[in-house]
Amino acid sequence: MKKQIPVIVMSFLLLVIGLGGCIQEIAGKTDSDGDGVSDSSDAFPYDPEETKDSDGDGIGDNADIDDDNDGYKDVEDYMPYENAKIKIVIEAFKVIDFVDFGTTQYNAQVYFEIYIDDNKVAQAPSEGQFWDIDVGKLTTVNWQYTYDIPDNVLTHTVSIRMYDADELFNDQLDIDGHDDTRGCTVSYNIVTGEWTGDDSDGITDGSDDGTQTTDDDDAYLEYSITTV
């Protein structure tokens, strides 16, 4: 009498054989869904339609309409896989002129105001604080600030204003070398990382506008803007 294999065992063997036909290997690594991405790198190892989940919300990037979960749909988001932020770095600066009219004061108390899209977002080094520096000397600080921006807007206005703090009132220093305005205002593209306006290379000098008297409040600034 022949022995019969129990139905349950037979079903299990058929299942294993069937799965074995679907599982592939990529350079020695298992690819369970056969989508060309190994299980170890696949956020959805058993779904051939999905491989990534950029925002970790459990929905694959192909099906997810907001891949960075920032509230902006991918079709209107210029940075669809990351929540874009603008990073501004005040790298170094110098006060060129004597900052108090009619005096030869050799030091200045410098602070900066940062505006993005016409809104003041930060003050450097911090609110109510300043750097006490020597006039005519380049001072390196590498102060940094990061600001979350709406990703569905391609260009953003960034304005940097430099001041000398005094007891009676604070003087805005001239870091715009192009005209009679004093602040540096640019239009920043979050995709290309380039900007245009009062400056385009991260170096601006108020004395470049031709008004170089010793009490003209001219100043020099090195800075950078990046998308992070």
Side-chain angles (χ1 to χ4, degrees), residues 4 9 12 20 29-30 32 38 46 48 68 80 103 126 141 150 167 197 214:
Q4 294 184 345
V9 175
F12 175 75
K29 296 183 179 180
T30 302
S32 297
S38 65
Y46 303 107
D68 55 7
T103 71
S126 61
V141 294
E167 291 183 4
T214 57

Side-chain angles (χ1 to χ4, degrees), residues 109-113 161-165 170-173:
Q109 292 74 44
V110 172
Y111 69 92
F112 293 85
E113 291 181 347
R161 303 174 189 177
M162 182 176 177
Y163 294 88
D164 169 51
N170 301 331
D171 299 318
Q172 184 175 356
L173 304 180

Side-chain angles (χ1 to χ4, degrees), residues 37-53:
V37 179
S38 65
D39 289 358
S40 60
S41 302
D42 195 334
F44 301 89
Y46 303 107
D47 183 351
E49 301 298 323
E50 298 285 357
T51 60
K52 293 182 179 180
D53 181 12

Side-chain angles (χ1 to χ4, degrees), residues 55 64-74 76-77 79-80 82-83 148-152:
D55 55 6
D64 198 341
I65 62 173
D66 180 11
D67 283 319
D68 55 7
N69 203 28
D70 63 356
Y72 300 101
K73 295 180 180 179
D74 292 347
E76 63 179 2
D77 194 331
M79 308 288 287
E82 56 185 313
N83 184 22
D148 195 347
I149 54 171
D151 296 16
N152 64 337

